Amino acid sequence: PGVPTGGLFGTGQSILVTAIQLAVIGAVLFSIYTIIRGGINMITSGGHKEKFQAGRERVRYAIIGLVIVFFSIFIVTFLGTVFGVNLLQITK
């Protein structure tokens, strides 16, 4: 008694849902890293237009990727609501 026996997926959460959640967390962390790296490239460009441009594009692409990730979560949640299926199991 008192010891949980359900394991990682004992709450009814499937492996697919856990994988999607981990992928989103990984995408957010990678985007933050890329934004910081692009910012450092912009700061350390030393007046070189090409280096500054490369840093700015890196930041731009990281933000676009982050927006795509969150927009895809919104779309999947919306479609799940329309069809009555909780696809991501964000809320029970």
Side-chain angles (χ1 to χ4, degrees):
V3 178
T5 58
L8 180 62
F9 307 110
T11 60
Q13 191 171 5
S14 70
I15 293 174
L16 180 62
V17 172
T18 303
I20 291 171
Q21 291 172 349
L22 289 175
V24 169
I25 291 169
V28 169
L29 291 176
F30 183 71
S31 293
I32 291 171
Y33 166 75
T34 306
I35 289 170
I36 291 171
R37 189 169 171 200
I40 290 172
N41 285 353
M42 290 168 63
I43 291 170
T44 60
S45 66
H48 294 102
K49 270 185 143 179
E50 298 82 22
K51 290 183 180 180
F52 186 84
Q53 194 77 5
R56 184 166 59 182
E57 287 182 11
R58 180 172 290 184
V59 170
R60 178 183 301 149
Y61 293 144
I63 292 173
I64 290 171
L66 200 57
V67 167
I68 289 172
V69 166
F70 285 122
F71 188 68
S72 66
I73 291 172
F74 171 75
I75 292 294
V76 169
T77 304
F78 177 74
L79 290 176
T81 304
V82 168
F83 293 114
V85 179
N86 194 356
L87 298 171
L88 296 179
Q89 295 182 356
I90 294 173
T91 59
K92 300 254 175 180

